[in-house]
Amino acid sequence: MKVREQKPLIHNITNVVVTNFTANGLLALGASPVMAYAREEVAEMASLASAVVLNIGTLDNRIVESALLAGKAANAAGKSVVLDPVGAGATAYRTETARAIAREVKLAALRGNAAEIAHVIGESRDIKGVDAVAGDTDNVQLARRAALQLGCIVAVTGKDDVVSDGHSTYVISNGHPVLTQITGAGCLLSSVLGAFLAVGSDAPALAAAEALAFYGVAAEEAANHMKEPLPGSFQAVFLDQLASLTQERFEALAQIAKADKQ
Ligand code: ATP
Ligand code: TZP
Ligand code: MG
Ligand code: MG
């Protein structure tokens, strides 16, 4: 696994809920996390890093300013930027901020639940705080539309995940329902996606699909190692699986299907 070999430095500007879980998850995966928020240093840190992950989970004006500075510095240095638009659609401030970042920063990837992605591209969907409300939305078409509109990879996650760059689209059917009981499962996934994009690929949309599948397989394996996958102990076993899942086991269990008509 290239992330374990290259140990990319991932600069996260994230929320106060998930900071520790994100850092530990990236370390378990084999990447190197750093959280840096001050406007005096974010551009420098973003240029040093292999990828920048921007997350608006607990935003305020200083964070937004830092996110824009870091995103633009990463663009100038040719580093990948991932945006997690946590809660876009829940409040006008979140929606506007996510759209402003997507407008002003050249994103490599946007990752969120269906409601968040829909709101970033000016559509509407039900959202409850930062959590999606289950519905029968067509996430394949949503991911395609969003990717074409924003000109980046879009990952719409939920029971099944969809990754699209507007041309190639993949459906990933790995994962485990207990992930919905862990705050930060999505936020950590956005940072894991940043790590997979940071190590470079000829086919970034496929690399993004592999990031989501790797995460989902690690969750399945963790649950299989437990008598009962309850949220508290699952978190620890899940981190263990991010660290120990082998390439062979991953390839045997990954469920990545191409959604495009052949
Ligand atoms: P939300 O706040 O709506 O839960 P999120 O940002 O936490 O969104 P999710 O969509 O929950 O992100 O995705 C995080 C991980 O959880 C992904 O790997 C996804 O595949 C997985 N996941 C989410 N729901 C399920 C489910 N019902 N069954 C299996 N895996 C799931
Ligand atoms: N409130 C603001 S950010 C946050 C909460 C609960 C964490 C959301 O994390 P995730 O990964 O979307 O579940
Ligand atoms: Mg969640
Ligand atoms: Mg989320």
Side-chain angles (χ1 to χ4, degrees):
M1 220 256 281
K2 276 210 269 184
V3 173
R4 286 183 190 144
E5 287 155 19
Q6 294 185 28
K7 304 192 185 318
L9 178 67
I10 310 302
H11 176 193
N12 303 269
I13 296 181
T14 190
N15 66 74
V16 298
V17 182
V18 305
T19 306
N20 180 270
F21 185 58
T22 301
N24 277 325
L26 283 171
L27 280 170
L29 185 74
S32 191
V34 63
M35 278 60 180
Y37 298 88
R39 63 165 171 250
E40 289 82 358
E41 68 166 354
V42 284
E44 197 181 345
M45 189 64 82
S47 316
L48 284 174
S50 299
V52 170
V53 181
L54 305 175
N55 177 308
I56 64 164
T58 49
L59 75 180
D60 62 33
N61 279 344
R62 284 184 316 169
I63 300 232
V64 176
E65 186 190 346
S66 291
L68 290 170
L69 285 170
K72 287 175 185 173
N75 285 166
K79 310 296 173 66
S80 296
V81 181
V82 175
L83 172 63
D84 187 329
V86 183
T91 66
Y93 183 45
R94 282 170 191 268
T95 310
E96 289 313 315
T97 298
R99 288 180 187 167
I101 294 173
R103 210 170 38 239
E104 293 186 37
V105 175
K106 174 77 192 128
L107 298 178
L110 173 74
R111 195 233 43 106
N113 64 44
E116 291 162 345
I117 301 298
H119 281 277
V120 174
I121 61 164
E123 301 179 6
S124 81
R125 286 292 147 89
D126 284 349
I127 184 155
K128 181 180 171 197
V130 297
D131 293 328
V133 175
D136 56 348
T137 58
D138 185 343
N139 290 346
V140 169
Q141 291 307 332
L142 174 62
R144 264 196 202 123
R145 277 198 305 282
L148 288 172
Q149 183 175 318
L150 300 171
C152 70
I153 293 167
V154 172
V156 179
T157 61
K159 185 174 177 304
D160 291 330
D161 302 332
V162 183
V163 168
S164 182
D165 62 6
H167 306 286
S168 300
T169 304
Y170 303 92
V171 176
I172 300 98
S173 310
N174 297 107
H176 192 281
V178 73
L179 286 169
T180 62
Q181 293 178 271
I182 294 173
T183 193
C187 300
L188 171 56
L189 175 55
S190 296
S191 291
V192 166
L193 176 56
F196 271 72
L197 294 177
V199 296
S201 163
D202 296 341
L206 182 56
E210 286 171 352
L212 272 60
F214 190 90
Y215 196 83
V217 170
E220 290 169 10
E221 287 285 86
N224 286 337
H225 278 74
M226 301 173 70
K227 216 159 87 189
E228 193 183 357
L230 294 172
S233 42
F234 174 83
Q235 292 186 56
V237 183
F238 178 53
L239 292 184
D240 292 348
Q241 279 300 320
L242 287 176
S244 60
L245 179 62
T246 63
Q247 184 66 25
E248 293 69 30
R249 191 86 184 129
F250 165 61
E251 283 170 17
L253 295 175
Q255 294 188 52
I256 303 175
K258 196 108 170 33
D260 311 292
K261 291 193 189 80
Q262 301 302 317

